């Protein structure tokens, strides 16, 4: 005999700003659990997550100008996290942890003061991801951003994408560390500044000024290693300082590379 799985029911926020643990704010009259799809809505509200360690089925933020604040706690979302595009909603994690199955970010997600994010595919289209002060970490499988996106990884913080890293006309500032072990691709726009060390595997730049610092060449001063390929095309320009090791393919077609310390390995192609 087949048994049906657990039934997922909605838990909708009601009323004004308040604490997550306050049962009067929930349509279910109890704190959401693993079989609840949580819906946060309203305008200019602050939801203070004060549960120690909770697991919910999914999380959706609608409305506008709302903030979910996670301070020193852990929230695990088994399935998707969705923050509506253009809503000016935000999730702030301070010295806490946010785990999710997938993440669709149309607002702002800020990790601060030693926080961590662990999720599957992270769609930052139309949203902002900020790894702010302290040693914050974000680990995702695939990362996507577009022309309405922004990405900032401050010093001592790290962003790790274990799959594809796709930025379509996106912009941002990377001044911390980063590890891309899948595909790191920008098809327009690009990162404004990368100012710290990291290993990039499979970097492809297409278009004029894809990685720029103001109107000139980009300041990719911390690029240390090319493990698979770096192609500069369509007028893209790249300037590096310090040692740069090429273990894969480095080429320029209608593009330019300026470097002061390039070492081409035995297997490297230039």
């Amino acid at each position: 005999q087949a048994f049906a799985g657990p039934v997922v029911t909605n838990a909708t926020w009601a009323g004004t700003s308040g604490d997550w643990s306050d049962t009067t704010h929930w349509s279910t009259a109890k704190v959401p659990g693993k079989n609840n799809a949580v819906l946060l809505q309203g305008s200019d509200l602050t939801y203070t997550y004060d549960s120690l360690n909770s697991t919910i089925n999914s999380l959706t933020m609608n409305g506008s100008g709302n903030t979910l604040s996670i301070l020193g706690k852990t929230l695990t979302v088994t399935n998707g996290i969705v923050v509506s595009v253009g809503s000016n909603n935000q999730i702030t994690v301070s010295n806490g942890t946010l785990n999710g199955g997938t993440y669709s970010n149309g607002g702002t997600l800020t990790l601060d003061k030693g926080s961590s994010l662990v999720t599957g595919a992270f769609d930052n289209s139309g949203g902002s991801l900020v790894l702010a002060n302290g040693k914050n970490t974000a680990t995702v499988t695939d990362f996507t951003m577009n022309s309405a996106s922004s990405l900032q990884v401050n010093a001592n913080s790290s962003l790790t994408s274990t799959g594809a890293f796709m930025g379509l006309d996106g912009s941002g500032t990377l001044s911390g560390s980063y590890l891309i072990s899948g595909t790191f691709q920008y098809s327009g726009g690009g990162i404004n500044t990368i100012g710290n060390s990291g290993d990039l595997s499979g970097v492809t730049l297409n278009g004029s000024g894809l990685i720029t610092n103001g109107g000139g060449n980009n300041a990719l001063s911390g690029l240390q290693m090319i493990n698979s390929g770096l192609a500069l095309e369509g007028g893209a320009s790249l300037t590096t300082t310090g040692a740069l090791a090429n273990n894969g393919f480095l080429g320029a077609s209608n593009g330019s590379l300026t470097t002061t310390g390039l070492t081409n390995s035995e297997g490297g192609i230039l």
Side-chain angles (χ1 to χ4, degrees), residues 139-156:
T139 304
V140 304
T141 54
D142 300 313
F143 189 94
T144 303
M145 58 190 294
N146 63 11
S147 59
S149 307
S150 66
L151 171 63
Q152 181 174 334
V153 182
N154 288 335
N156 300 318

Side-chain angles (χ1 to χ4, degrees), residues 221 223-224 240-245 259-263:
S221 59
L223 179 59
Q224 294 179 328
T240 68
T241 59
L244 172 61
T259 181
T260 57
L262 176 63
T263 300

